[in-house]
Structure formats: structure tokens, C-alpha cells
Amino acid sequence: MSMLTPPGMGGQYRITGDKYPRMRPPRRRGRLVAAVVASVAVLGLLGWGTLQLIDVFTGGKKGAVASARTGCRTKAAPAAQVRTLPRPGDITVNVYNATQRTGLAKETADALGKRGFKIGDVGNASGEFDKKVKGTGILLGPPDARNTSLAVLATEVSGAEQRTAAGRKGAAVDLIIGDAFKGLTPPAAAQQALTALSAPKPTASPEKSC
């Protein structure tokens, strides 16, 4: 091997002229790998940025809808209305017997008086009703007594029919006793019915308005 032979050449190349063979340095794979990684990172950042922009534009609308829904106001339910009813002492009851049982009108009137009602006329029913009432009885009063005096009296006479007469004067109401009458409603049951009658009416649930 000539002394001019470059080291590591193994004698493959010899210097025969005045020029040396050109030596190419090995490719640096590390730089190539770094460049690829950098490119991938840049693409990833670009993709992430694009998604963020999309979320900004689409998320803004969702946020507005969510804000609008959050801002929905709930309408307060109206306050429960307590039904005001007259007391038995404020109600005058005329008791008429439409049956063939003697003394039934006076007996019933006395029982109603003990329960606090004012008693007006007591006697036999008129020809319009005499021996013509097959049910428990008929409660008769002026139109404005339907949901007041008649309703309270009805708690004492279970099953009685309630009627109003247009043009009737006065606030008194009539109890016309019929053939199916067995007596007044037991006091406990009558009181329970009166309590339920005067209980507040249920109100509708609150509504949301957006």
C-alpha cells in the first residue's frame, strides 16, 4: 500500500495522478428525521388551530342558545284561592215535608237548629212537591246560593238535589224532604265534607316562558 493511499481505503484506491478521489460524507439521517417530526408537529398545530376556530364559531351559537335557555323565566303559579263560605248561623233554612211521615219536618228542623242553622218556615211541602220527591230531598234557593248556602246545607243532607229558582227573593233556602230521607248526615262526616268544600283549590304548576 502506498503511503499516499488514504487511510481506510483498504488499497482500493491508489493515487496514480496528481488528483485525489473526492470523498462524500455520509448522509445525516438525524436531520431528516428531525425535519419529518417538525413537519408533523406543524401539521398537528395547524389542525388543532382549525378545530379551535370551528369550536369558536359553532360554540358561540350553542352558548347563545344555552344563555337564552338559562334566561327563561318561570311564571309563578297563582296563589291558591280559599273558598269563602257562609257559616251555618248565617243561613236560614225553611224545612218542608214532602212525604207521608208525620212530624218529619219539625224533627229535621230541630236537628238543623242544633247544628247552628237558623230555622225559618216549617211545614208540609207545596202541591208542586208534595209526595213527588222520591229521592233524599231537594235543596232550593236563589241563583247566588248555588255555591254558598246551598253548598253548605248539602253537607248536612247527603244525596239531596240542589236547585236554584230565577227571580226568587231573599237569601233563605228550602229543604224539601223526600221519601228516601233517612236523617241528616252524621256530624263528623258533615264536618269533613264542609272542610273539603272550603279547602283551597289546587293550582296549575308553574310554566316556563323563554
Side-chain angles (χ1 to χ4, degrees):
M1 181 180 298
S2 173
M3 295 181 65
L4 296 178
T5 302
M9 298 299 294
Q12 182 179 0
Y13 296 95
R14 295 178 179 274
I15 303 302
T16 58
D18 57 355
K19 296 182 179 180
Y20 293 92
R22 294 182 179 181
M23 304 293 294
R24 293 183 180 180
R27 296 180 180 180
R28 298 182 179 179
R29 296 181 179 179
R31 292 182 180 180
L32 181 60
V33 172
V36 172
V37 171
S39 299
V40 172
V42 170
L43 291 175
L45 289 174
L46 290 175
W48 179 82
T50 303
L51 291 176
Q52 292 298 315
L53 290 175
I54 294 175
D55 289 340
V56 167
F57 289 106
T58 58
K61 295 181 180 180
K62 294 179 180 179
V65 174
S67 299
R69 291 179 179 176
T70 304
C72 294
R73 296 182 179 180
T74 301
K75 295 182 180 179
Q81 297 180 353
V82 178
R83 188 174 182 180
T84 302
L85 297 172
R87 296 173 299 176
D90 298 328
I91 302 174
T92 299
V93 183
N94 302 317
V95 184
Y96 300 111
N97 182 11
T99 73
Q100 297 181 354
R101 289 179 284 174
T102 303
L104 187 57
K106 184 179 184 308
E107 178 184 340
T108 304
D110 291 342
L112 285 173
K114 292 179 180 179
R115 298 191 183 190
F117 290 88
K118 291 183 179 180
I119 304 303
D121 296 337
V122 179
N124 293 325
S126 63
E128 181 182 358
F129 300 103
D130 189 28
K131 299 180 180 62
K132 298 177 183 178
V133 180
K134 302 302 180 183
T136 301
I138 296 174
L139 307 181
L140 182 63
D144 59 357
R146 177 179 295 277
N147 296 318
T148 55
S149 301
L150 289 179
V152 174
L153 182 58
T155 63
E156 305 288 347
V157 189
S158 301
E161 178 186 356
Q162 298 184 44
R163 296 183 187 179
T164 58
R168 177 173 173 139
K169 297 180 180 180
V173 294
D174 299 343
L175 166 56
I176 305 171
I177 303 172
D179 293 337
F181 181 79
K182 303 297 182 182
L184 297 178
T185 304
Q191 183 59 45
Q192 184 177 4
L194 182 61
T195 300
L197 189 65
S198 59
K201 295 181 179 179
T203 57
S205 59
E207 297 180 356
K208 289 185 178 181
S209 60
C210 299

